[in-house]
């Protein structure tokens, strides 16, 4: 396993469990404890973890805005599962807005067998991924490049999104709370998500279930603004009942 792959796996553990132990990681990956300490030092420098005696703890996950190359390699199986389910909801000829989340990249990969889609996105990675789709219409929002996130944001991107109306907007987020609604870690990205949600007939939120009952830094929208939630596994009964009572379709 390459060092970058190992650090992605460690990041996934930090995200899921909140902490890691050097000795346990060394046994799991079959490397020395010194190698793991170097990995944790790198994650500490990247702002992902805080080193502690014998291990590390996650920085505040809800407020953390991880680099795209890290997010893309975390919870891959869950993102692929979400993408598979969501692709089944999309029909040929739809006009779709996609945000710059790593989940959206996995979704667009699963949409490639659809015909005559129109895609509007602020994701540089998605633009590159679908550059060869000759039967699709692809529109970039333009805007200011957020280098670590590979997203395009700013007033010009928001203006572009607001000038279109689409069938479906697909967004992810950092957390969802029943009272506070949909939340994200970055204001500029959240403004683009808000614009996309306001510009669509159908609003789909794609997320893994560990983000339910999680708070983050910036509020994107109320849950009543969401029509469909697609997640990787069955949520708790509390969430199933909440979605039923509030007219939100739940796909898992």
């Amino acid at each position: 396993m390459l060092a970058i792959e190992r650090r992605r796996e460690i990041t996934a553990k930090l995200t899921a469990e909140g902490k890691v132990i050097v000795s346990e990681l060394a046994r799991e990956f079959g490397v020395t404890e010194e190698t793991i300490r170097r990995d944790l030092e790198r994650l500490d420098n990247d702002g992902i973890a805080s080193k502690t005696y014998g291990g590390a703890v996650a920085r505040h996950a809800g407020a953390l805005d991880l680099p795209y190359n890290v997010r893309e390699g975390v919870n891959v199986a869950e993102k692929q599962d979400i993408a598979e389910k969501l692709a089944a909801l999309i029909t040929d000829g739809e006009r779709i807005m996609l945000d710059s989340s790593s989940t959206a990249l996995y979704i667009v990969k699963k949409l490639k067998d659809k015909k005559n889609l129109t895609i509007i996105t602020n994701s540089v990675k998605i633009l590159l991924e679908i550059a060869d789709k000759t039967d699709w219409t692809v529109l970039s929002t333009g805007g200011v490049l957020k280098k670590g996130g590979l997203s395009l944001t700013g007033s010009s991107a928001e203006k572009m999104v607001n000038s279109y109306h689409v069938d479906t907007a697909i967004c992810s987020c950092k957390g969802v709370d029943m009272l506070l609604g949909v939340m994200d870690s970055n204001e500029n990205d959240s403004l683009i998500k808000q614009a996309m949600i306001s510009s669509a007939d159908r609003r789909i939120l794609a997320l893994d279930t560990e983000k339910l009952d999680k708070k983050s830094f910036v509020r994107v929208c109320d849950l009543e603004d969401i029509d469909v939630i697609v997640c990787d596994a069955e949520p708790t009964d509390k969430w199933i009942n909440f979605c039923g009572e509030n007219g939100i379709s739940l796909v898992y």
Side-chain angles (χ1 to χ4, degrees), residues 75-241:
N75 293 340
V76 172
E78 289 84 351
K79 290 171 183 174
Q80 290 174 333
D81 192 40
I82 291 167
E84 189 93 29
K85 294 178 173 68
L86 203 150
L89 305 178
I90 304 299
T91 58
D92 293 345
E94 278 200 52
R95 298 164 298 177
I96 301 169
M97 287 182 178
L98 284 155
D99 71 1
S100 60
S101 63
S102 57
T103 302
L105 176 64
Y106 286 93
I107 290 167
V108 85
K109 290 179 179 181
K110 291 291 185 181
L111 293 177
K112 282 192 167 183
D113 62 341
K114 307 292 182 181
K115 295 178 173 56
N116 300 319
L117 295 184
T118 296
I119 302 291
I120 300 175
T121 186
N122 69 319
S123 167
V124 175
K125 290 283 284 190
I126 288 178
L127 292 171
L128 293 172
E129 179 68 30
I130 60 179
D132 61 343
K133 290 296 295 178
T134 56
D135 66 321
W136 289 13
T137 300
V138 179
L139 293 85
S140 166
T141 63
V144 179
L145 176 63
K146 177 186 164 189
K147 295 177 183 177
L150 295 180
S151 62
L152 299 164
T153 62
S155 58
S156 59
E158 293 170 47
K159 183 177 179 180
M160 187 276 185
V161 171
N162 287 325
S163 67
Y164 287 88
H165 185 81
V166 297
D167 301 301
T168 303
I170 300 170
C171 295
S172 189
C173 64
K174 292 296 190 297
V176 180
D177 181 84
M178 288 183 181
L179 293 177
L180 297 176
V182 181
M183 308 193 77
D184 211 80
S185 61
N186 180 278
E187 183 177 7
N188 288 335
D189 284 327
S190 77
L191 290 172
I192 297 294
K193 295 174 196 278
Q194 288 174 7
M196 289 181 173
I197 289 167
S198 298
S199 299
D201 288 332
R202 179 175 60 162
R203 292 75 55 91
I204 300 179
L205 186 65
L207 74 166
D208 47 277
T209 51
E210 69 179 27
K211 292 180 179 177
L212 297 173
D213 293 313
K214 294 285 179 68
K215 298 179 180 69
S216 193
F217 183 55
V218 183
R219 188 171 171 277
V220 176
C221 66
D222 294 325
L223 275 167
E224 66 185 26
D225 296 321
I226 301 299
D227 301 301
V228 184
I229 294 177
V230 180
C231 47
D232 59 304
E234 183 176 3
T236 61
D237 289 342
K238 179 180 73 171
W239 274 99
I240 292 174
N241 293 335

Side-chain angles (χ1 to χ4, degrees), residues 7 21 38 44 52 59 62 64 101 157 188 196 227 240 249:
R7 288 195 293 270
I21 306 298
R38 286 196 297 270
D44 188 296
T52 62
R59 301 271 175 97
L64 194 60
S101 63
N188 288 335
M196 289 181 173
D227 301 301
I240 292 174
S249 298

